[in-house]
Amino acid sequence: MMQRAVAVVGGGIGGLAAALALHRRGWRVEVLERAADFTELGAGISLWPNALRALEVLGLAGAVREFGAVEATGGVRDRRGRWLSRTDNAELARRFGHPLLVLHRADLLRVLREALPADSLRSGSEVSTVRDEGNRTVVVHRGGESRPDLVVGADGLHSAVRRALWPAAAGPRYAGYTAWRMVTEPLAEPPREGAATWGRGARFGYTALPGGRMYCFATATLPAGAASGSSESESESEYAELLGRFGSWPDPIPALLAAVPAGAVLRHDLYDLPPLPSFVRGRVALMGDAAHAMTPNLGQGACQALEDAVTLAHCLDTTPDVPAALRSYDLLRRPRTQAVTRRSARLGAVGQLSWPPAVLLRDTAARLTPTRATLRSMTPVLGWTAPGDPVTETENESH
Ligand code: FAD
């Protein structure tokens, strides 16, 4: 049989994972990435058990674990630093097969990229549009045109693929709050456990990365319109803003802020995507943030993109007809990811409460909820299993 070809638009976590899943199943892949290279500014990222299961199917869970940190315990604190709830990573792993792993995004992207043939990665290849021509789909990009058997739109929140083929779909909606992310310098004595501290209309979280560094994140209810923090001067003014807002929060937050290097603060307003009526059209499938951008309150956006990737490859493997396989993918992925998106939005609304009586009620409810109940309530999200028999992990699988 002739080798089938796929064009993956976007070389983020979702696009690289989809390219790899399809490459492993015999597809000829090309990843069309807008950026001039595949480097990543980002900060840390949490991978929950469901994501590690997807990485297992890709044969990469072991490689990714090497770059990650697993904290024994963590939890949520109130504005005065008192614990509201605790999490136990060993219990999480017992229940769901894997712990919560935190690593630098650049490491995750590098592991994914290195598992792909180098000549499949095309940086500087911004896609301007995608046309559906019945039995072929045309992808127009800076380097020319591609006519693959399948197009995967993995081009993120402002997806050009979505705009081209879902012109009537509503665009991203602002969640009402903004987020900062940063990684500290290595600390001689890093905090022994991570925590998210909930204030009024603001939160500050931190968790360990390997090598004594800490990944920190913060949110504040603010109008949309944040700068990205991607230039040094923007980053410095965001750092000043963070100090003003969180510099007097309970320990160890001031010390963590003091250990953030100049120019290392990223800021992004948070959006999610109103539910699409379908993730597929003909030979084109949307995935990751292009399909279901969600707020980061559950730390699930990239985890869901990894699930999308292995599910898509499975559907195409078991159903040779591409449009029919994509319809199965849509049925498996849309209800699930849209439910996770709604859940994440609800958690964010609670986390950002600012009216004092509502904050008191929230904190009391969190304090009274047993850890077991919290873990149990996460089963629909974390208890995901890959469709079909998960391939036994084969590290260094040939490519
Ligand atoms: P993206 O990462 O957006 O990648 C899209 C790629 O497409 C980019 O490389 C872009 O350059 C490229 N592109 C865009 N347009 C074009 C075009 N026209 N042509 C070619 N290429 C194009 N998720 C988690 O699982 N755990 C977490 O802890 C977590 N924390 C988060 C914290 C914050 C503050 C935020 C904002 C998000 C967080 N997420 C987290 C969500 C996660 O970052 C995203 O869900 C994930 O990165 C989506 O991956 P993606 O590949 O779909 O899209």
Side-chain angles (χ1 to χ4, degrees):
M1 199 167 98
M2 245 179 55
Q3 195 183 24
R4 297 193 289 177
V6 54
V8 177
V9 184
I13 295 166
L16 292 174
L20 181 59
L22 291 167
H23 167 66
R24 291 262 159 91
R25 294 182 190 244
W27 287 70
R28 183 156 50 81
V29 298
E30 79 176 336
V31 180
L32 301 165
E33 167 55 45
R34 171 175 64 188
D37 53 41
F38 282 83
T39 54
E40 159 75 26
L41 272 177
I45 190 155
S46 326
L47 294 179
W48 291 88
N50 54 318
L52 289 165
R53 221 164 291 125
L55 286 164
E56 224 164 43
V57 176
L58 293 174
L60 292 180
V64 167
R65 270 196 301 265
E66 275 181 37
F67 294 99
V70 174
E71 281 186 326
T73 52
V76 177
R77 306 186 308 167
D78 69 11
R79 173 65 181 82
R80 290 166 63 186
R82 297 170 301 194
W83 290 106
L84 294 174
S85 67
R86 309 302 308 269
T87 46
D88 174 351
N89 223 344
E91 179 57 25
L92 190 81
R94 252 192 310 280
R95 233 173 232 262
F96 300 112
H98 292 281
L100 168 64
L101 185 85
V102 183
L103 74 165
H104 200 288
R105 266 170 201 263
D107 291 327
L108 174 59
L109 284 164
R110 195 180 52 251
V111 169
L112 288 167
R113 235 174 17 242
E114 285 178 359
L116 278 163
D119 64 0
S120 67
L121 302 172
R122 313 263 156 84
S123 54
S125 300
E126 178 162 14
V127 168
S128 51
T129 195
V130 174
R131 284 197 306 272
D132 186 8
E133 292 183 357
N135 63 347
R136 279 275 151 166
T137 303
V138 183
V139 181
V140 184
H141 54 88
R142 271 185 66 186
E145 289 187 357
S146 299
R147 292 165 188 271
D149 303 286
L150 164 70
V151 177
V152 177
D155 50 345
L157 180 65
H158 301 289
S159 166
V161 179
R162 191 181 66 236
R163 275 203 311 277
L165 295 180
W166 282 258
R173 59 187 169 202
Y174 183 49
Y177 46 101
T178 195
W180 293 269
R181 283 175 288 172
M182 64 230 106
V183 174
T184 67
E185 305 277 17
L187 300 170
E189 285 186 43
R192 274 204 305 271
E193 51 190 350
T197 304
W198 286 2
R200 290 175 46 195
R203 288 172 282 167
F204 192 104
Y206 52 89
T207 179
L209 286 172
R213 293 174 306 162
M214 299 294 291
Y215 164 44
C216 304
F217 44 92
T219 62
T221 301
L222 282 174
S228 69
S230 55
S231 78
E232 191 130 328
S233 63
E234 276 173 9
S235 180
E236 273 163 21
S237 75
E238 294 305 338
Y239 181 68
E241 171 96 23
L242 274 175
L243 278 185
R245 287 179 181 274
F246 299 100
S248 61
W249 279 40
D251 287 337
I253 294 171
L256 292 174
L257 284 172
V260 172
V265 179
L266 293 174
R267 174 169 169 192
H268 291 97
D269 288 340
L270 299 178
Y271 289 84
D272 66 12
L273 201 63
L276 289 172
S278 171
F279 286 176
V280 303
R281 182 162 168 192
R283 296 173 166 273
V284 180
L286 295 177
M287 66 168 303
D289 280 10
H292 49 69
M294 57 187 72
T295 54
N297 299 293
L298 291 170
Q300 276 288 328
C303 301
Q304 292 298 315
L306 291 166
E307 287 188 15
D308 290 345
V310 299
T311 306
L312 179 65
H314 169 82
C315 292
L316 287 156
D317 221 30
T318 47
T319 310
D321 178 62
V322 171
L326 296 194
R327 285 194 293 276
S328 309
Y329 161 78
D330 180 53
L331 284 177
L332 285 171
R333 296 306 302 156
R334 196 161 37 84
R336 171 165 172 77
T337 52
Q338 292 177 346
V340 178
T341 303
R342 285 193 298 275
R343 188 169 171 161
S344 190
R346 283 198 300 271
L347 182 60
V350 172
Q352 290 301 122
L353 284 172
S354 61
W355 188 49
V359 170
L360 182 65
L361 201 63
R362 172 195 73 189
D363 290 1
T364 308
R367 194 175 293 117
L368 294 177
T369 307
T371 302
R372 268 166 188 276
T374 308
L375 275 179
R376 208 176 319 118
S377 77
M378 288 158 84
T379 304
V381 179
L382 306 185
W384 176 83
T385 49
D389 275 335
V391 180
T392 317
E393 194 169 357
T394 46
E395 303 299 340
N396 307 317
E397 207 167 61
S398 62
H399 57 258

